[in-house]
Amino acid sequence: MKKILCPVDFSENSLNAIEFAVRIGEAHQAELTLLHVFTEKEFGEALSKGLLAKRYRRTEIDNLVQYAEELLQSLTHEVNHMSKGRGLVHCYYHFSYGSLEKYITRYAQEQAYSLIVMGTGGIKDVFEEYAGSHAIKTVERAPCPVLCIPEKVTYAPFAEVVYATNYQEEDDQALQQLVEVIKPFNGAIKALHVYAAESNIEEAMYRDFATQAKAHISYENITFSHLKFKDPAHGIDRYAIDQKANLVALYGKKRSLFEKIFLEGTTKNVAYMATYPVLVLKTP
């Protein structure tokens, strides 16, 4: 993992995501790019609603574009000053215009980024059915894994990691990708399947999944579990909290667990999954 992209809108959420991106960049000795996609409407609304961090508020702004780019330059300078001696190769910035989620995913693909790290608004932005969410649209379209950082989640090394599976054929590739992300942290992977009803078929599928994964994943610190729970999102959340997970990961293509949790609204009106980052893996 050599190139990390972190979209920034100057909100507290995105500033929090920068810390995650920086720490991951340090651990992987990677490059980091802070990306701001300017739209006058969104930037103006952030100012008027007080969504920008206090340090960036200003009562009179003659040139919003210039001001936004100055903020991005300042953040980039701060990151380089603090982190280049800790393993981060370099922090760059990229300032542009356009449709936010479309530009993020296109730029990530054109520049061959390994990971996108982005802050979210928490439960409503990621885990509820929320069609207008920039985070969900970015996750759907992204060419690489996306790490979603819910609001108020503080950084911690990825020591305890839950991989949620629905027995997809891409699990081996997704798990290998997860290993690459967490390897510098020496994290423990706990692969989990949540099922609604006990059956001989479920037991057989679970054994086959565990056997195949053990044979193909060259990572010693991985264990396997399955859990009976009516709703998969609730089950994953309960397990992650019990295990004190620092990260929950899942495979992110349609017809997968990602679609069920992110797109079908199974978590609607349930205020949970806001205590840990979520990594959505994207295999070729």
Side-chain angles (χ1 to χ4, degrees), residues 113-175:
Y113 281 92
S114 310
L115 177 70
I116 298 172
V117 181
M118 61 188 304
T120 73
I123 180 71
K124 289 185 180 295
D125 206 22
V126 180
F127 297 100
E128 260 187 53
E129 184 179 31
Y130 185 37
S133 165
H134 291 312
I136 285 182
K137 289 180 180 179
T138 299
V139 167
E140 285 188 274
R141 296 168 175 165
C144 61
V146 180
L147 179 62
C148 300
I149 312 298
E151 59 185 347
K152 298 181 181 179
V153 173
T154 57
Y155 172 79
F158 301 140
E160 300 293 334
V161 179
V162 173
Y163 174 73
T165 176
N166 203 26
Y167 301 145
Q168 298 96 201
E169 62 182 20
E170 297 89 352
D171 274 330
D172 285 353
Q173 295 179 67
L175 278 167

Side-chain angles (χ1 to χ4, degrees), residues 203-243:
E203 190 63 33
M205 291 179 68
Y206 167 71
R207 288 198 304 268
D208 288 347
F209 164 69
T211 300
Q212 180 171 321
K214 288 177 183 177
H216 291 91
I217 307 303
S218 55
Y219 194 70
E220 293 185 0
N221 200 359
I222 181 170
T223 56
F224 301 86
S225 301
H226 57 162
L227 175 69
K228 183 180 178 181
F229 221 95
K230 183 177 180 180
D231 179 79
H234 283 252
I236 293 165
D237 182 58
R238 177 72 61 83
Y239 183 83
I241 291 173
D242 288 346
Q243 298 297 319

Side-chain angles (χ1 to χ4, degrees), residues 45-62:
E45 286 180 353
L47 287 170
S48 64
K49 294 178 181 179
L51 298 179
L52 297 183
K54 291 181 180 179
R55 60 189 294 194
Y56 295 129
R57 293 179 193 168
R58 187 164 132 186
T59 56
E60 293 182 4
I61 298 177
D62 299 325

Side-chain angles (χ1 to χ4, degrees), residues 230-272:
K230 183 177 180 180
D231 179 79
H234 283 252
I236 293 165
D237 182 58
R238 177 72 61 83
Y239 183 83
I241 291 173
D242 288 346
Q243 298 297 319
K244 296 181 172 58
N246 310 113
L247 178 69
V248 171
L250 67 163
Y251 176 65
K253 282 191 177 179
K254 290 189 175 181
R255 299 181 302 278
S256 68
L257 191 61
F258 162 79
E259 183 178 44
K260 188 170 186 61
I261 292 177
F262 278 65
L263 305 181
E264 293 182 1
T266 60
T267 64
K268 190 174 183 180
N269 299 321
V270 180
Y272 68 105

Side-chain angles (χ1 to χ4, degrees), residues 15-70:
L15 297 178
N16 186 38
I18 291 175
E19 181 176 4
F20 279 82
V22 167
R23 297 300 184 113
I24 295 168
E26 292 173 352
H28 281 272
Q29 298 184 347
E31 297 178 358
L32 170 63
T33 301
L34 305 183
L35 168 68
H36 180 71
V37 182
F38 182 88
T39 65
E40 184 173 350
K41 178 182 177 182
E42 290 178 353
F43 197 84
E45 286 180 353
L47 287 170
S48 64
K49 294 178 181 179
L51 298 179
L52 297 183
K54 291 181 180 179
R55 60 189 294 194
Y56 295 129
R57 293 179 193 168
R58 187 164 132 186
T59 56
E60 293 182 4
I61 298 177
D62 299 325
N63 189 329
L64 290 178
V65 175
Q66 180 180 347
Y67 182 51
E69 189 162 10
E70 287 175 357

